[in-house]
Amino acid sequence: MTYLAKPKFHHPGLPKNELGYTHRDYEGTVSTLCAGCGHDSITGAIIQACFELAIEPHRVAKISGIGCSSKTPTYFLGNSHGFNSVHGRMPSVLTGANLANRDLIYLGVSGDGDSASIGLGQFAHCLRRGVNMTYIVENNGVYGLTKGQFSATADRGSKSKRGVTNTDNSIDMVAMALQLGASFVARSFSGDKEQLVPIIKAAIAHQGAAFIDVISPCVAFNNHAGSTKSFDFVREHNEAVNRLDFISTRMPIGLQQEPGTVEIVEQHDGSRIALRKLDADYEVHDRAAALGFLQHHAAKGQIVTGLLFVEKEAQDLHAHLDTVEEPLNKLGEKELCPGSAVLGQINAGLR
């Protein structure tokens, strides 16, 4: 079963935002992911962010690829535009839609398999072009839909559920996003709603390519510390995943963390990961310093979370291409076919 509709009844006492919408207006169908999956916490954070921003659901276009992460758009913003593309091709579909209609709010949802493996080239070009979007990667280090094989963000030396050791180096998508020129780069933990909701709100409001890497534990296949997120360098503290044949109901992992602190988060199987939250006075406008900060704390076995970099006065793809203010899908024959005289002027300008 992949589709569970929610009751249409709305309690009259539900809180409303300034547009008169309730949380229910930003929800989708009932999730069919594993109980306790971090992805569901991310869904909740997206719903909360859109509710607090008072966004009209029909102004949002949510686009995804293939994987557990790419199923999640079904579970939020049920009244928005949606497109589930093929594996790894979400960025190009989003880019084309963005070029055609710049008036929509674009939310790209992907996973570490969808974006760091088959879609790595798409991920890179979408960010370097500065497409105006919020690009969220729900990162758990495994292919959850195909029984827990390593993804490209899995740590070298970590073990799979079946005891196989990963011999490949991991890809740190945050470091790549910084190098590729993304104008908004952040990392968070699915269980830290107090941090994640504001990051998503800021990313949606940002004019340019906003990338968020969200560490999202996979309760079915990847419960050990070294395999639930991406790193700059090889993690030093890896533990094997317990063999599970039956998955009982589990509560999502939550976290309340003060800025500038390191918290040890215990996973469902008892293994632990170390999360470092950025200091309140961290300088977010220095791209090179952000890379160095990531590497410095990765060497300690810590994952840096928070807003890592934001570019002042960032521009998006439409500014780079100098497109017209009117969305391209609204242009008529008069604008698209202005006549031979205008074409001659354009050709003359290219000589």
Side-chain angles (χ1 to χ4, degrees):
M1 183 179 297
T2 59
Y3 181 91
L4 292 172
K6 290 185 178 180
K8 294 183 179 180
F9 172 76
H10 284 207
H11 191 281
L14 289 176
K16 298 181 179 181
N17 60 22
E18 60 187 68
L19 292 181
Y21 292 112
T22 68
H23 280 81
R24 290 294 306 275
D25 296 310
Y26 295 95
E27 295 176 358
T29 64
V30 175
S31 173
T32 58
L33 296 176
C34 301
C37 178
H39 293 0
D40 285 333
S41 297
I42 300 173
T43 291
I46 293 173
I47 291 170
Q48 182 68 24
C50 292
F51 172 80
E52 292 182 7
L53 288 174
I55 293 174
E56 296 173 303
H58 66 270
R59 291 190 57 230
V60 178
K62 53 182 184 178
I63 302 174
S64 62
I66 295 296
C68 290
S69 58
S70 294
K71 291 173 61 179
T72 62
T74 305
Y75 312 138
F76 60 83
L77 295 173
N79 293 321
S80 69
H81 304 280
F83 193 98
N84 184 227
S85 68
V86 296
H87 204 4
R89 270 55 180 181
M90 178 275 288
S92 59
V93 175
L94 188 151
T95 300
N98 184 284
L99 282 172
N101 188 354
R102 63 190 299 170
D103 283 351
L104 295 179
I105 298 170
Y106 289 92
L107 184 60
V109 180
S110 186
D112 43 300
D114 193 55
S115 282
S117 290
I118 190 171
L120 187 60
Q122 301 259 324
F123 164 79
H125 293 298
C126 189
L127 290 185
R128 78 179 185 86
R129 288 175 177 142
V131 180
N132 186 21
M133 62 178 177
T134 298
Y135 193 133
I136 297 176
V137 167
E138 299 178 349
N139 189 350
N140 57 22
V142 297
Y143 289 93
L145 281 183
T146 54
K147 310 308 178 191
Q149 300 92 333
F150 294 119
S151 79
T153 64
D155 311 313
R156 184 178 183 179
S158 62
K159 292 183 179 181
S160 71
K161 178 178 177 179
R162 293 177 175 84
V164 178
T165 300
N166 180 31
T167 59
D168 296 332
N169 288 320
S170 64
I171 291 177
D172 188 333
M173 303 196 72
V174 167
M176 286 194 66
L178 287 167
Q179 293 172 332
L180 291 166
S183 51
F184 181 107
V185 181
R187 174 183 279 149
S188 191
F189 176 60
S190 61
D192 191 352
K193 191 174 182 179
E194 291 184 3
Q195 181 191 67
L196 182 55
V197 171
I199 286 177
I200 294 175
K201 290 169 64 177
I204 292 174
H206 179 73
Q207 184 71 22
F211 173 73
I212 308 173
D213 178 43
V214 186
I215 303 159
S216 182
C218 175
V219 296
F221 300 108
N222 222 5
N223 285 328
H224 59 284
S227 303
T228 56
K229 56 190 179 303
S230 60
F231 296 90
D232 286 328
F233 299 103
V234 178
R235 285 294 298 268
E236 297 179 356
H237 306 290
N238 294 320
E239 298 179 31
V241 175
N242 292 329
R243 180 63 181 264
L244 299 174
D245 295 321
F246 174 78
I247 303 173
S248 61
T249 300
R250 298 169 175 179
M251 295 298 293
I253 300 171
L255 174 67
Q256 290 185 339
Q257 185 176 357
E258 295 297 322
T261 62
V262 177
E263 292 286 344
I264 305 300
V265 180
E266 186 168 333
Q267 306 295 286
H268 292 295
D269 67 339
S271 59
R272 298 180 177 184
I273 57 175
L275 295 175
R276 178 181 178 86
K277 184 175 285 191
L278 294 176
D279 295 290
D281 59 351
Y282 173 82
E283 174 54 56
V284 299
H285 301 301
D286 191 331
R287 191 184 296 270
L291 279 167
F293 193 86
L294 282 172
Q295 294 173 351
H296 175 72
H297 290 286
K300 298 180 180 180
Q302 298 173 357
I303 306 169
V304 178
T305 66
L307 177 58
L308 299 170
F309 173 77
V310 60
E311 185 175 325
K312 295 180 180 179
E313 300 179 359
Q315 292 184 325
D316 70 341
L317 182 61
H318 285 278
H320 299 160
L321 297 179
D322 194 23
T323 61
V324 296
E325 290 295 327
E326 186 75 8
L328 300 184
N329 67 340
K330 295 182 180 179
L331 299 180
E333 182 179 358
K334 179 180 178 181
E335 293 82 10
L336 295 175
C337 301
S340 58
V342 175
L343 178 60
Q345 294 175 359
I346 294 174
N347 290 333
L350 297 175
R351 292 191 177 94

